Amino acid sequence: MLLVIDVGNTNIVVGAFDGEKLVKNWRISTDYKKSSDEIGMLLVQLLRHNNIETDKIDDVIISSVVPQMMFSLERAVKRYLNREPMIISNDIKTGINILYDNPKEVGADRIVNAVAVRRHYPGNAIIIDFGTATTFCALTESGNYLGGVICPGIKISLDALIERTAKLPKIEIVRPKNVIGTNTVESMQSGMVYGYAGQIENIVRLMKSQMPEDTKVIATGGIASLISQVTDAIDILDSHLTLKGLKALYDMNK
């Protein structure tokens, strides 16, 4: 089995592939203060809770946008899974031609998503990843990574709103019953959900104006399913896109 690990600023997503099939996946909080022993024991517990013994893990691949996590995570994998992990870096084979002014600035998660789209949804694409930041990536059918857009994620925006106002409460980010809220909580939920959907629609519209007509929009990440309910801008929803990208990269580089 292959264990794939994607380290984001807020969450670490872990998946176990048996051949081409993603059999299990987990989401845990990113905490770079955790020791390698804590991380290792957590990985072992997750696997064993799902009846996967550590000796069933043949290889491990890791993508990370949090450098502070890498020493402890790599050490945990080596010590508790007895495997030398493959790390996504600038010199790994991806099949993606990055046209950024400085290709090294492109986050590993964005490249992993692009690889997944090329394998599973070939063609011209805009990839939206709803994470701590919301990223938009423009990818051509031939594998040219044109660039993209980076926005504050919806939770960052909500946290800033609450922090900078004296009377607004903490709320759950869910779709309200109506756009016109009849209380503070519903009004805030409407602003977050529909306001964010409007931002998505406008950015997608502007990006498509610079891309071929057949460009499709693929979304992934924490709130992708929520936003896809309130906008027609998203064509494909794939919550496991990054994990699939890591599997594809492993196959290309093993």
Side-chain angles (χ1 to χ4, degrees):
M1 298 183 76
L2 172 68
L3 197 70
V4 300
I5 303 174
D6 175 52
V7 182
N9 288 292
T10 303
N11 293 301
I12 299 173
V13 183
V14 183
F17 279 89
D18 187 358
E20 295 299 316
K21 183 180 180 182
L22 178 64
V23 293
K24 294 290 181 182
N25 64 94
W26 308 271
R27 184 179 294 268
I28 57 180
S29 297
T30 301
D31 183 358
Y32 63 85
K33 295 180 181 179
K34 274 189 168 62
S35 68
S36 58
D37 291 323
E38 290 176 294
I39 297 170
M41 286 303 300
L42 180 56
L43 290 174
V44 170
Q45 289 169 2
L46 287 173
L47 291 168
R48 288 183 175 168
H49 181 71
N50 290 272
N51 300 314
I52 302 173
E53 290 300 321
T54 56
D55 60 2
K56 297 293 185 183
I57 302 300
D58 301 306
D59 276 309
V60 180
I61 183 168
I62 301 172
S63 169
S64 175
V65 295
V66 186
Q68 303 96 314
M69 280 290 304
M70 290 309 295
F71 176 80
S72 294
L73 180 56
E74 287 185 59
R75 191 172 179 182
V77 169
K78 292 175 184 177
R79 181 172 181 181
Y80 286 86
L81 301 182
N82 197 30
R83 293 292 178 266
E84 183 74 34
M86 181 186 297
I87 308 298
I88 302 301
S89 61
N90 292 320
D91 57 356
I92 200 166
K93 183 169 64 175
T94 65
I96 304 295
N97 181 28
I98 303 173
L99 301 183
Y100 239 44
D101 294 340
N102 181 359
K104 293 182 179 180
E105 290 180 357
V106 182
D109 53 339
R110 300 172 77 181
I111 300 305
V112 172
N113 286 342
V115 170
V117 167
R118 280 210 80 195
R119 170 173 282 197
H120 296 281
Y121 310 105
N124 299 295
I126 294 171
I127 309 163
I128 309 176
D129 191 343
F130 294 93
T132 307
T134 298
T135 59
F136 300 73
C137 300
L139 182 70
T140 69
E141 185 173 9
S142 61
N144 286 332
Y145 182 95
L146 304 179
V149 177
I150 302 174
C151 304
I154 193 169
K155 189 175 185 303
I156 288 178
S157 300
L158 178 59
D159 289 345
L161 178 64
I162 295 168
E163 182 181 337
R164 300 297 291 271
T165 53
K167 297 182 68 176
L168 293 182
K170 291 185 177 181
I171 63 167
E172 184 181 5
I173 303 174
V174 296
R175 183 180 181 179
K177 292 182 293 184
N178 300 296
V179 177
I180 301 174
T182 56
N183 56 62
T184 299
V185 171
E186 287 184 357
S187 297
M188 291 174 67
Q189 289 171 335
S190 184
M192 287 293 110
V193 174
Y194 294 107
Y196 218 72
Q199 180 187 65
I200 300 302
E201 290 169 356
N202 194 44
I203 291 175
V204 166
R205 178 180 62 82
L206 293 170
M207 289 181 70
K208 280 188 171 183
S209 71
Q210 297 180 234
M211 298 187 70
E213 290 185 4
D214 63 349
T215 297
K216 56 185 173 290
V217 179
I218 299 113
T220 191
I223 65 157
S225 59
L226 171 61
I227 298 301
S228 68
Q229 295 172 20
V230 297
T231 178
D232 295 326
I234 296 169
D235 299 310
I236 299 168
L237 177 66
D238 190 338
S239 58
H240 301 312
L241 188 70
T242 308
L243 299 183
K244 291 176 180 177
L246 283 169
K247 172 65 168 65
L249 281 168
Y250 172 78
D251 291 341
M252 294 169 65
N253 290 274
K254 64 181 178 181

